[in-house]
Amino acid sequence: MSPDQRFGFMSGLGAYFMWGLLPLYLKLLDHIAPTDILAHRVVWSVPTGALLLIVAGRFHEIFAMLRRPSTLWLVLSSALIAGNWLTYIWAVTNDRIIEASLGYFLNPLVNVAIGAVFLSEKLRRLQWFAVSIAAIAVIVETIALGRLPWVSLILCFSFATYGYIRRQVQVDGRVGLTLEVLFLLPAALIWLAIVAQQGGSLIGGSIPNLLMLMLAGPATAFPLILFALAAKRLKFSTIGIMQYLGPTMQFLLALAFGETLTSLRLGTFSLILVAVILFSLDAYGHDRHLRRSALRPT
């Protein structure tokens, strides 16, 4: 592994560890309404994103991007990521971390399905099998809960759709995120103004709470930057395997917080694990085949 690849690997680990530990941060704020946390996450992500762009010398790209018609895609992606963030915050603060982690375990498999439906990407037989097993897992989870696992499905499909939309826009990840939170900023400020008018607190009730809420900006931006550094230096298949680190850590934290793992729910995660292993083996095998083909003399 070259020094550049090693740096990419460590950046990827850092990103997924930060995402995996996010429930610990949100649990410290579970006495604050999820909508208030979301509003503060948007507000404090704006200066964080702007500062990072200034340091990188790319702040001017914000204005260049605003003149492009494709920026309209970012308006839609900002709404999707806001819905994703709100659902995740609600899940963590209401002891539904296991459901949230299930959504992110399913996410890569749904990405594959979206690629087949909307991008005309042909799925290999093993990929179809993995996606089918994931669909069965959702049915098992529905039986286990006695209702649709809406937290998992919203997180999974909102983030998968978000990823699909972001593919339509050629923009640096930091620039894209900063624009998204800028588009969300008016709604966040209006919400906080309504909270204040109704007698609520703009600072979460105390200075320590405000300081914790301000950390939402770096907690949002830093893992995305580390991920962008990793994505430029590592193979797609390596990134694909690493992305399961986040939901695995979330799942273990859910157990540490005392969430119940029933036998049916264990069946759900067993099916997901099988689907993930098959999917990963297929990706590894296909990548190896492509490398061999590239080395074969013509």
Side-chain angles (χ1 to χ4, degrees):
M1 184 180 286
S2 68
D4 198 46
Q5 289 175 320
R6 192 175 298 112
F7 177 73
F9 186 77
M10 295 307 296
S11 296
L13 281 181
Y16 286 112
F17 263 102
M18 290 183 75
W19 279 325
L21 293 173
L22 189 58
L24 287 176
Y25 167 72
L26 292 175
K27 277 291 187 182
L28 295 174
L29 298 171
D30 62 2
H31 56 287
I32 300 173
T35 45
D36 295 357
I37 298 174
L38 174 63
H40 277 278
R41 186 174 189 177
V42 170
V43 168
W44 299 112
S45 290
V46 172
T48 303
L51 179 61
L52 291 171
L53 288 177
I54 291 170
V55 171
R58 308 190 72 156
F59 190 78
H60 64 281
E61 294 182 26
I62 290 282
F63 303 102
M65 192 66 199
L66 285 171
R67 292 192 291 269
R68 291 168 54 182
S70 57
T71 305
L72 291 174
W73 283 107
L74 292 178
V75 176
L76 181 55
S77 66
S78 66
L80 282 167
I81 201 62
N84 180 277
W85 287 349
L86 181 59
T87 304
Y88 187 78
I89 293 167
W90 183 91
V92 172
T93 56
N94 285 273
D95 301 322
R96 305 275 278 274
I97 303 175
I98 287 182
E99 280 187 66
S101 68
L102 173 61
Y104 287 116
F105 271 119
L106 288 169
N107 180 249
L109 302 172
V110 172
N111 283 338
V112 171
I114 286 178
V117 174
F118 295 103
L119 300 176
S120 300
E121 296 177 358
K122 292 185 178 180
L123 298 191
R124 295 179 292 276
R125 191 172 300 173
L126 201 55
Q127 287 180 314
W128 274 120
F129 189 46
V131 171
S132 300
I133 292 175
I136 294 171
V138 172
I139 295 172
V140 172
E141 180 68 2
T142 301
I143 295 170
L145 292 173
R147 54 173 171 77
L148 272 176
W150 64 268
V151 168
S152 305
L153 295 176
I154 289 176
L155 289 174
C156 175
F157 282 96
S158 63
F159 200 68
T161 308
Y162 172 80
Y164 169 75
I165 289 173
R166 285 298 299 267
R167 281 175 61 99
Q168 313 305 310
V169 187
Q170 295 300 315
V171 62
D172 177 81
R174 292 162 294 186
V175 175
L177 173 67
T178 304
L179 278 170
E180 284 170 343
V181 291
L182 276 171
F183 293 144
L184 293 169
L185 184 61
L189 293 175
I190 290 171
W191 177 259
L192 290 175
I194 292 172
V195 169
Q197 190 177 33
Q198 294 178 346
S201 173
L202 285 175
I203 63 172
S206 66
I207 297 299
N209 282 343
L210 176 61
L211 294 175
M212 287 295 297
L213 288 166
M214 290 174 68
L215 286 175
T220 299
F222 288 170
L224 285 170
I225 292 169
L226 290 174
F227 175 78
L229 292 171
K232 289 181 179 179
R233 291 166 172 81
L234 299 176
K235 295 176 183 176
F236 185 75
S237 57
T238 304
I239 290 289
I241 300 297
M242 291 178 72
Q243 69 184 317
Y244 293 107
L245 178 62
T248 299
M249 291 176 64
Q250 294 166 15
F251 175 77
L252 294 175
L253 281 175
L255 297 181
F257 285 129
E259 292 190 27
T260 305
L261 182 64
T262 63
S263 55
L264 268 177
R265 177 160 273 176
L266 183 60
T268 298
F269 277 91
S270 298
L271 286 169
I272 291 295
L273 180 60
V274 170
V276 165
I277 290 172
L278 291 175
F279 180 76
S280 302
L281 287 174
D282 178 82
Y284 175 76
H286 184 64
D287 183 60
R288 191 175 179 184
H289 173 72
L290 289 177
R291 279 189 279 115
R292 283 182 175 177
S293 298
L295 293 172
R296 192 175 300 146
T298 55

